Amino acid sequence: MFRWERSIPLRGSAAALCNNLSVLQLPARNLTYFGVVHGPSAQLLSAAPEGVPLAQRQLHAKEGAGVSPPLITQVHWCVLPFRVLLVLTSHRGIQMYESNGYTMVYWHALDSGDASPVQAVFARGIAASGHFICVGTWSGRVLVFDIPAKGPNIVLSEELAGHQTPITDIATEPAQGQDCVADMVTADDSGLLCVWRSGPEFTLLTRIPGFGVPCPSVQLWQGIIAAGYGNGQVHLYEAATGNLHVQINAHARAICALDLAPEVGKLLSAGEDTFVHIWKLSRSPESGYIEVEHCHGECVSDTQLCGARFCDSSGSSFAVTGYDLAEIRRFSSV
Amino acid sequence: MQPFWTFTGVLNDIISTMFNRKFMEELFKPQELYSKKALRTVYERLAHASIMKLNQASMDKLYDLMTMAFKYQVLLCPRPKDVLLVTFNHLDTIKGFIQDSPTILQQVDETFRQLTEIYGGLSAGEFQLIRQTLLIFFQDLHIRVSMFLKDKVQNNNGRFVLPVSGPVPWGTEVPGLIRMFNNKGEEVKRIEFKHGGNYVPAPKEGSFELYGDRVLKLGTNMYSVNRPVETHMSGSSKNLASRTQESIAPNPLAKEELNFLARLMGGMEIKKPSGPEPGFRLNLFTTDEEEEQAALTRPEELSYEVINIQATQDQQRSEELARIMGEFEIMEQPRLSTSKGDDLLAMMDEL
């Protein structure tokens, strides 16, 4: 059972994007950072336990040519071995900041060279993999940036080809230490998933085809890929083989966000149907096949959700954002 | 006595201006989302494309109503591709108004053909981007509309009701089922879970043909049942500070936007009436006094600014605009009342 906790007010309502909430837990400092995209600006705020808001700051996409200010597509904290960077993707390019959002350390302008006039050009999909940060683009290319332990000397080290349609989301997990283990999944607007092994060069291991709907959100946990689709389904695949093992008719509208609590294998799904669901992932002791159990469902009345995150690694609390909603709604288990 | 104007005449004038080939050509060019000011300017011009006139207060009210109705339709689309079905519903209804005018009917059908050509083949992902971008335009607008409040599709705080029952979108399954498979893809287990809603399967897919059952009711005529319509300014948006700030947008007279407006306006052909006819003024309030009062008490945050084309600094631009405006045929008519809404027209007359 979850109860609705005190909401955190936002200066600007959340935009109707997918994966529109990023949470950075800083238990040592008794703080949590939240990041939400409003449209042409993104809002960062810090909160104490109990959701008491402390400080907040707005970031904008770097200006460029065009009639209106560029729209931000996503904001996300990347936890690397020696530092945490905040990454902001927009219709112009990629901005990286120190974790509190005060110092911009890197700017990458998107190359719209091949785009036809009808095509939107943007970056979207952000994840940290070891000492790399991977960012997706409108063309399907995934840019891999090599991040030093400190300082602004960030270098674009690789461009991954594997997708033909705009990237929606990227998921990573720490390498399990064995050979040939997948530790990154990229998803796109056609629903295609690409499974990668990271390294000085990234290797494409498997491709899992789509079925006509976008895959806006993807997660990876202990070799299990959880993918949320535009038709409301959540699929669980074996990363090593690409086989589909679980199909959940989870939501009545498109799924907008997935999140994982890695300590306990809990999966959070949020949809445009106003619902949030929590699932428990596991493996059958006999067959080793992926299994799932529904734990909890919550309806956020009249709110088309656009972001959802666990607020602690044991999955006992979570937060959501919704289109047009000028607050972050928080829930914790009783 | 025969009235000198008819509703049919007014509808025909507005619809034929809206579906004018040149105007549509400009609309179909790939472009960024309009700013609120730009859209309001174009809308005001279209609303005055006949002998019907509106004062500022009535114009504001009409625009609020249009905006909230459209927001409702885009927000409640079950699938992103349904925004196209909503558009087709709009066209079907418009065609119903102009049954007796084959020329205008043809213009609308031509627009239909263009819509199908450009949007018919887009992927679900592309439609999702279109829908998300449209929703950015409507963000933070919570004006209460009497009809929506009465029908319980809008709450008292101005937010729309999102029902958790009814048919799922075409292509979506009713939530509640978990299926598990082995390595060979054979189903080995099936579990049901309680998802909290009360959904049923989708009956059938709406038609994207020129004629067909759209299935979707969004975008059909809200006034097919006769009822009064009001919009409420009070309590429209509690968190006014959160309203999208246009002040951080670049100068609205930015070159690109003026170019775009000039081309759009240039594509509108306003018809000149055959003889001297006084115009008539449409008042969306119950009395003239109420309309005046509404204009005075409209909250600052909700006032619309129409782009003042004459105020441009760019000499070349204003010459080009003057030339395009000169190509309009503006009707000579006695002014029934002066108000801000008439100022734009007055300016164009004086160019």
Side-chain angles (χ1 to χ4, degrees):
Chain A
M1 270 305 298
F2 280 79
R3 67 154 186 263
W4 186 356
E5 298 277 12
R6 171 195 180 137
S7 297
I8 306 175
L10 288 170
R11 193 169 284 170
S13 61
L17 298 163
C18 295
N19 306 309
N20 191 5
L21 175 62
S22 180
V23 171
L24 179 67
Q25 300 160 27
L26 298 169
R29 293 167 55 192
N30 228 3
L31 272 185
T32 310
Y33 283 179
F34 296 88
V36 181
V37 177
H38 169 65
S41 65
Q43 197 177 350
L44 309 179
L45 55 99
S46 58
E50 311 309 309
V52 177
L54 298 171
Q56 67 166 304
R57 173 172 180 72
Q58 282 197 317
L59 296 179
H60 294 91
K62 261 172 83 93
E63 296 279 345
V67 171
S68 29
L71 296 171
I72 299 176
T73 53
Q74 197 177 0
V75 74
H76 189 65
W77 274 282
C78 290
V79 179
L80 302 148
F82 297 106
R83 72 200 292 196
V84 176
L85 287 184
L86 176 72
V87 181
L88 191 151
T89 50
S90 73
H91 285 248
R92 293 282 175 272
I94 302 160
Q95 288 149 246
M96 298 193 192
Y97 298 80
E98 298 293 3
S99 62
N100 58 11
Y102 273 88
T103 321
M104 192 180 333
V105 294
Y106 186 69
W107 156 247
H108 176 94
L110 283 174
D111 175 16
S112 62
D114 302 342
S116 73
V118 298
Q119 217 156 5
V121 168
F122 53 86
R124 183 177 63 185
I126 307 167
S129 174
H131 61 90
F132 295 107
I133 287 181
C134 299
V135 182
T137 65
W138 58 278
S139 62
R141 303 212 130 213
V142 175
L143 307 178
V144 182
F145 296 93
D146 196 337
I147 315 291
K150 59 182 183 189
N153 199 16
I154 293 168
V155 170
L156 173 62
S157 78
E158 218 184 332
E159 284 191 37
L160 307 179
H163 293 271
Q164 306 295 321
T165 54
I167 302 292
T168 48
D169 196 17
I170 305 178
T172 57
E173 70 167 342
Q176 309 286 307
Q178 305 150 270
D179 287 326
C180 291
V181 163
D183 57 357
M184 180 164 92
V185 183
T186 52
D188 74 19
D189 261 352
S190 73
L192 169 69
L193 301 172
C194 287
V195 186
W196 310 80
R197 182 178 72 240
S198 69
E201 276 185 16
F202 281 64
T203 316
L204 178 62
L205 300 176
T206 331
R207 303 173 99 220
I208 301 172
F211 46 92
V213 287
C215 174
S217 204
V218 73
Q219 291 288 331
L220 182 58
W221 181 72
Q222 298 196 353
I224 302 173
I225 297 170
Y229 293 90
N231 69 346
Q233 283 185 334
V234 173
H235 289 190
L236 302 178
Y237 301 92
E238 189 68 60
T241 58
N243 289 340
L244 171 68
H245 282 279
V246 179
Q247 184 181 82
I248 315 175
N249 295 342
H251 291 270
R253 296 282 187 278
I255 287 175
C256 62
L258 293 179
D259 196 30
L260 261 180
E263 252 176 52
V264 292
K266 283 220 172 124
L267 178 75
L268 179 67
S269 69
E272 290 185 356
D273 62 353
T274 77
F275 281 93
V276 172
H277 289 289
I278 298 182
W279 317 86
K280 176 88 175 61
L281 306 182
S282 59
R283 285 186 183 279
S284 152
E286 303 97 32
S287 59
Y289 290 151
I290 301 167
E291 294 193 323
V292 76
E293 186 193 312
H294 180 252
C295 300
H296 182 74
E298 194 75 43
C299 175
V300 187
S301 295
D302 301 330
T303 307
Q304 194 164 100
L305 299 172
C306 55
R309 295 279 176 195
F310 282 116
C311 292
D312 64 90
S313 46
S314 65
S316 60
S317 63
F318 64 91
V320 299
T321 52
Y323 167 65
D324 239 1
L325 198 62
E327 61 187 20
I328 299 174
R329 293 264 177 99
R330 296 164 56 243
F331 297 84
S332 58
S333 60
V334 290
Chain B
M1 216 171 88
Q2 189 78 356
F4 56 81
W5 53 264
T6 60
F7 283 124
T8 319
V10 168
L11 273 179
N12 281 5
D13 281 345
I14 294 176
I15 294 171
S16 68
T17 304
M18 209 188 294
F19 286 86
N20 174 277
R21 195 185 48 81
K22 261 170 60 182
F23 183 67
M24 275 297 156
E25 237 169 60
E26 283 304 322
L27 277 186
F28 275 105
K29 287 189 182 157
Q31 54 200 292
E32 287 181 28
L33 190 67
Y34 308 163
S35 71
K36 293 192 164 73
K37 288 184 177 111
L39 183 65
R40 173 57 198 260
T41 305
V42 173
Y43 190 79
E44 182 140 339
R45 197 81 191 88
L46 277 175
H48 287 106
S50 69
I51 60 170
M52 180 187 75
K53 297 287 161 266
L54 293 103
N55 274 352
Q56 184 70 2
S58 284
M59 187 66 227
D60 285 346
K61 190 169 181 173
L62 185 64
Y63 188 77
D64 285 345
L65 181 60
M66 183 280 290
T67 311
M68 289 309 288
F70 191 36
K71 177 174 183 174
Y72 173 68
Q73 291 166 19
V74 174
L75 188 62
L76 265 89
C77 268
R79 318 167 283 184
K81 188 172 184 178
D82 291 337
V83 297
L84 191 55
L85 276 181
V86 167
T87 309
F88 290 168
N89 271 336
H90 293 166
L91 294 188
D92 290 344
T93 310
I94 287 169
K95 278 159 67 167
F97 294 146
I98 47 159
Q99 281 304 319
D100 301 323
S101 313
T103 339
I104 313 176
L105 209 48
Q106 200 185 29
Q107 283 174 275
V108 180
D109 279 344
E110 171 59 23
T111 303
F112 201 110
R113 197 197 55 75
Q114 276 185 294
L115 280 168
T116 307
E117 187 183 302
I118 294 176
Y119 294 96
L122 291 188
S123 69
E126 286 165 315
F127 272 114
Q128 187 184 52
L129 185 60
I130 289 173
R131 181 172 173 272
Q132 286 179 343
T133 310
L134 286 173
L135 286 175
I136 288 172
F137 186 87
F138 297 118
Q139 214 168 319
D140 303 321
L141 286 172
H142 301 297
I143 298 163
R144 287 147 60 215
V145 175
S146 277
M147 176 164 33
F148 289 150
L149 293 171
K150 230 169 271 174
D151 288 351
K152 306 253 185 287
V153 304
Q154 191 179 27
N155 292 323
N156 266 318
N157 59 7
R159 286 162 195 280
F160 290 115
V161 172
L162 300 181
V164 296
S165 57
V168 288
W170 185 257
T172 293
E173 303 283 339
V174 172
L177 183 63
I178 304 174
R179 300 167 70 199
M180 302 193 222
F181 307 91
N182 62 16
N183 268 336
K184 300 199 205 85
E186 299 159 340
E187 186 179 309
V188 295
K189 203 155 130 187
R190 204 173 246 247
I191 317 178
E192 288 189 6
F193 70 93
K194 210 162 159 17
H195 59 86
N198 187 18
Y199 297 101
V200 296
K204 62 177 176 174
E205 188 176 16
S207 161
F208 289 87
E209 303 296 316
L210 182 58
Y211 297 101
D213 179 7
R214 310 289 175 210
V215 181
L216 197 60
K217 293 289 161 265
L218 291 171
T220 54
N221 191 352
M222 295 179 347
Y223 302 101
S224 45
V225 176
N226 211 5
R227 48 183 152 193
V229 173
E230 300 143 51
T231 50
H232 293 265
M233 284 304 104
S234 57
S236 54
S237 179
K238 261 192 223 163
N239 195 358
L240 293 168
S242 77
R243 189 169 155 77
T244 310
Q245 293 303 316
E246 292 262 325
S247 57
I248 60 165
N251 182 355
L253 304 176
K255 263 191 176 175
E256 289 95 321
E257 188 154 79
L258 265 185
N259 278 340
F260 147 74
L261 270 179
R263 285 193 306 267
L264 261 189
M265 307 290 225
M268 286 196 233
E269 287 170 15
I270 313 291
K271 294 218 196 85
K272 196 178 187 154
S274 48
E277 291 168 25
F280 77 93
R281 190 169 62 79
L282 178 67
N283 181 351
L284 286 183
F285 297 82
T286 24
T287 62
D288 282 355
E289 289 71 37
E290 212 186 284
E291 191 188 41
E292 263 172 52
Q293 191 57 27
L296 293 168
T297 56
R298 189 174 177 88
E300 185 59 45
E301 314 73 41
L302 295 167
S303 65
Y304 295 109
E305 293 159 54
V306 173
I307 292 181
N308 185 345
I309 294 174
Q310 193 149 36
T312 178
Q313 310 288 325
D314 190 326
Q315 180 61 18
Q316 191 194 12
R317 197 62 51 222
S318 62
E319 278 164 12
E320 190 180 310
L321 266 177
R323 183 184 57 75
I324 291 170
M325 296 302 174
E327 285 165 5
F328 281 159
E329 315 233 341
I330 309 292
M331 295 164 284
E332 303 305 307
Q333 66 188 8
R335 301 217 177 282
L336 299 176
S337 60
T338 46
S339 70
K340 270 196 270 177
D342 283 354
D343 285 355
L344 182 61
L345 295 175
M347 251 178 350
M348 293 198 229
D349 274 357
E350 274 131 44
L351 279 171

